[in-house]
């Protein structure tokens, strides 16, 4: 019974590592093959989220099911990646837009203010000025 549980845990950990490796490979391949900066930005961000996430889940399951201990390192790394990856991608995209995209080429935002890269943020105006 115990060997069956260990085998199941190993298979589960291996599956998450393989899924993480596949997403990492696809993200790296997309980074090399896609032509434009905005397209290349998409591939590594998905690889970071899903590829590294799969490896981290596999690592957490290994420590939980085989070593019988809880490891918070992977959880903290996952939290850090989920916080920083979208912010980094947003900064890279805004920098690219500011340098290489003309505002009139972009679609209308449908709001009173345009794209945040080109327009100042709306100011809070009071009735008195």
């Amino acid at each position: 019974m115990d060997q069956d549980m260990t085998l199941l845990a190993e298979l589960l950990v291996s599956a998450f590592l393989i899924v993480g490796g596949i997403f990492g490979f696809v993200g790296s391949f997309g980074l090399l093959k896609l032509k434009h900066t905005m397209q290349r930005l998409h591939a590594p961000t998905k690889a970071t989220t899903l590829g590294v996430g799969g490896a981290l889940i596999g690592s957490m399951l290994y420590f939980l099911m085989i070593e019988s201990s809880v490891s918070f390192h992977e959880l903290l790394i996952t939290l850090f990646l989920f916080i920083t990856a979208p912010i980094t991608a947003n900064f890279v995209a805004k920098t690219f837009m500011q340098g290489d995209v003309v505002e009139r080429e972009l679609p209308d935002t449908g709001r009173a203010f345009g794209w945040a890269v080109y327009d100042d943020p709306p100011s809070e105006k009071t009735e008195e000025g």
Side-chain angles (χ1 to χ4, degrees):
M1 179 71 182
D2 194 32
Q3 286 186 340
D4 291 339
M5 188 64 183
T6 303
L7 178 64
L8 178 68
E10 289 175 352
L11 288 174
L12 196 60
V13 169
S14 299
F16 275 106
L17 290 177
I18 289 171
V19 168
I22 289 171
F23 276 107
F25 175 75
V26 169
S28 301
F29 187 73
L31 182 65
L32 292 175
K33 288 301 282 183
L34 296 174
K35 296 183 190 273
H36 302 289
T37 301
M38 295 300 272
Q39 293 172 333
R40 282 187 289 189
L41 180 64
H42 182 73
T45 54
K46 298 305 171 232
T48 300
T49 305
L50 299 173
V52 176
L56 290 171
I57 290 171
S59 179
M60 282 191 282
L61 289 175
Y62 172 80
F63 281 106
L64 183 66
M65 298 174 85
I66 295 177
E67 298 289 328
S68 299
S69 66
V70 178
S71 175
F72 289 103
H73 297 102
E74 290 85 0
L75 192 62
L76 292 174
I77 292 170
T78 303
L79 181 68
F80 180 74
L81 282 176
F82 282 172
I83 291 172
T84 59
I87 294 170
T88 304
N90 189 18
F91 283 144
V92 170
K94 281 187 172 184
T95 303
F96 172 76
M97 287 175 65
Q98 194 170 22
D100 296 335
V101 178
V102 180
E103 184 177 4
R104 66 177 177 271
E105 295 176 356
L106 297 172
D108 186 28
T109 60
R111 297 181 179 166
F113 298 97
W115 290 80
V117 173
Y118 304 105
D119 293 339
D120 291 332
S123 61
E124 295 287 330
K125 290 186 177 180
T126 60
E127 297 275 331
E128 299 160 359

